[in-house]
Amino acid sequence: MGTVWTEWVGAVAAILTTASFVPQAWLTWRTRDVSGISLGMYSVFTTGVALWLAYGVLLGSWPIIVANAITLALALSILVMRIRYGGGRRSSYRSPYRG
């Protein structure tokens, strides 16, 4: 497969994976509801995306760079909102097993 096709496959994959993240970021930003967001998961995810961005820069691959720069901005915004608005458990769920 030629380099042009490889770049296009990467570009389409980058667009789809980045676009799939936008609705969650928008909903979280609009509602400020972070009750279902795991701080640990988003911390690890955001670090991983930052490393993918660094990898893309090292390779000089624009699909990896652009997609991960956008995803990093979205993930960071959700992570910041999780830290800012999700200090404690806000769930009204009460376990039937509690006394």
Side-chain angles (χ1 to χ4, degrees):
M1 192 183 284
T3 304
V4 172
W5 281 107
T6 302
E7 290 295 313
W8 275 103
V9 168
V12 171
I15 289 167
L16 292 175
T17 56
T18 302
S20 72
F21 212 80
V22 172
Q24 180 67 55
W26 175 251
L27 179 67
T28 303
W29 183 81
R30 190 171 48 86
T31 65
R32 305 289 194 256
D33 179 13
V34 293
S35 60
I37 293 175
S38 165
L39 180 59
M41 180 270 178
Y42 260 83
S43 297
V44 171
F45 176 76
T46 303
T47 302
V49 172
L51 290 172
W52 273 112
L53 175 58
Y55 178 70
V57 169
L58 292 170
L59 288 179
S61 175
W62 68 267
I64 296 174
I65 294 168
V66 172
N68 286 290
I70 294 168
T71 303
L72 182 59
L74 295 170
L76 275 172
S77 69
I78 291 173
L79 184 59
V80 167
M81 284 186 280
R82 172 58 179 87
I83 292 167
R84 186 172 181 189
Y85 301 118
R89 285 236 186 256
R90 296 184 185 178
S91 175
S92 61
Y93 173 77
R94 184 172 172 100
S95 172
Y97 303 107
R98 286 178 51 190

